[in-house]
Amino acid sequence: MSLAIAVLISGSGSNLQSLIEKTEDEILDVDIKMVLSNKADAYGLKRAQAYGIPTATLSHKDFDSREEFDTEMVRILKDAGAEAVIMAGFMRIITPVFLNAFPGKIINIHPAILPSFPGVDGQGDASKYGVQLAGCTVHFVDEKMDHGAVIIQAAVPAYPGEDEDDLRKRILKQEHRILPQAVQWLAKDRLSVEGRFVKLAEADVEMAKTYGVSLVNPPLEKGF
Ligand code: GRF
């Protein structure tokens, strides 16, 4: 049976789009029960509606505390039938109220290789720092921001002095690959967590070996 998920967004929803498309293509075995945004003008809501996926908007500004906001979110998502929650560009910190409602079933995508550059502008912070490699991380959510156990990461090169938006786009392209992959592993119950470590059942370790050398940037020259 497909895993019933809800997707939380705050903006464009391109990660949501990648989840929808992989589901339509029957690569990802989930049933997207609801898309919830804390912003009424989030473009991602339109993307969901285009596929007939139920949507909800819940403004955190209408609540006195994070806990009250989370309580209402939980009610809406449970009513929709969600068993797991995917935070795809959702720019809010959640409380134990939310965590305890979906234990071990909340994951988040962050546009940096954690634990480097947590926070609201991972790509901009990495770019300003002058990293040669940037990237993105999908992780389980815990009570601290951008902190839970890491499921999958992707690295991309960064180039000195490049437009920050170019780096953002390069990272986003990888987000669109690793988020659906992580969700599929969750849907197939292939992830187990021991402390900070996430173990993937039936991981294709041989496949990893075929990648050859690790990603190095700038590229190594002949002889190194
Ligand atoms: C992504 O970079 C995500 O990692 C970050 O916000 C961006 C949202 O993009 N937290 P989108 O809404 O999925 O297009």
Side-chain angles (χ1 to χ4, degrees), residues 66-213:
R66 287 184 189 278
E67 285 75 14
E68 285 168 73
F69 175 66
D70 280 3
T71 303
E72 182 59 6
M73 252 199 321
V74 167
R75 192 190 63 74
I76 293 171
L77 302 184
K78 291 269 182 194
D79 274 2
E83 298 167 65
V85 179
I86 314 305
M87 295 169 56
F90 183 63
M91 305 304 271
R92 299 290 306 163
I93 295 171
I94 60 166
T95 68
V97 169
F98 197 91
L99 278 173
N100 296 335
F102 299 95
K105 297 268 189 251
I106 309 174
I107 70 178
N108 180 49
I109 175 106
H110 180 72
I113 301 188
L114 292 171
S116 296
F117 311 114
V120 290
D121 190 16
Q123 309 99 319
D125 292 343
S127 175
K128 287 182 193 78
Y129 191 87
V131 296
Q132 298 286 0
L133 290 172
C136 45
T137 303
V138 179
H139 62 93
F140 282 106
V141 174
D142 67 10
E143 60 287 344
K144 293 189 202 150
M145 186 178 61
D146 300 330
H147 177 268
V150 173
I151 300 169
I152 184 170
Q153 297 182 302
V156 301
Y159 304 115
E162 75 174 322
D163 190 324
E164 262 180 40
D165 274 346
D166 289 343
L167 180 61
R168 254 175 238 288
K169 281 183 201 142
R170 203 175 307 121
I171 294 172
L172 195 58
K173 231 174 155 175
Q174 297 308 314
E175 293 183 46
H176 296 163
R177 303 177 72 194
I178 68 171
L179 181 61
Q181 171 69 90
V183 174
Q184 177 66 0
W185 288 334
L186 184 74
K188 293 293 154 197
D189 210 15
R190 290 176 59 190
L191 303 173
S192 51
V193 186
E194 279 168 39
R196 283 220 51 88
F197 296 97
V198 178
K199 213 171 131 196
L200 170 66
E202 297 160 51
D204 192 347
V205 180
E206 290 309 310
M207 167 101 165
K209 287 183 193 158
T210 65
Y211 295 161
V213 292

Side-chain angles (χ1 to χ4, degrees), residues 3-7 19 30-34 81-86 183:
L3 178 68
I5 65 167
V7 184
L19 292 170
V30 295
D31 183 1
I32 306 176
K33 294 285 189 187
M34 165 150 293
E83 298 167 65
V85 179
I86 314 305
V183 174

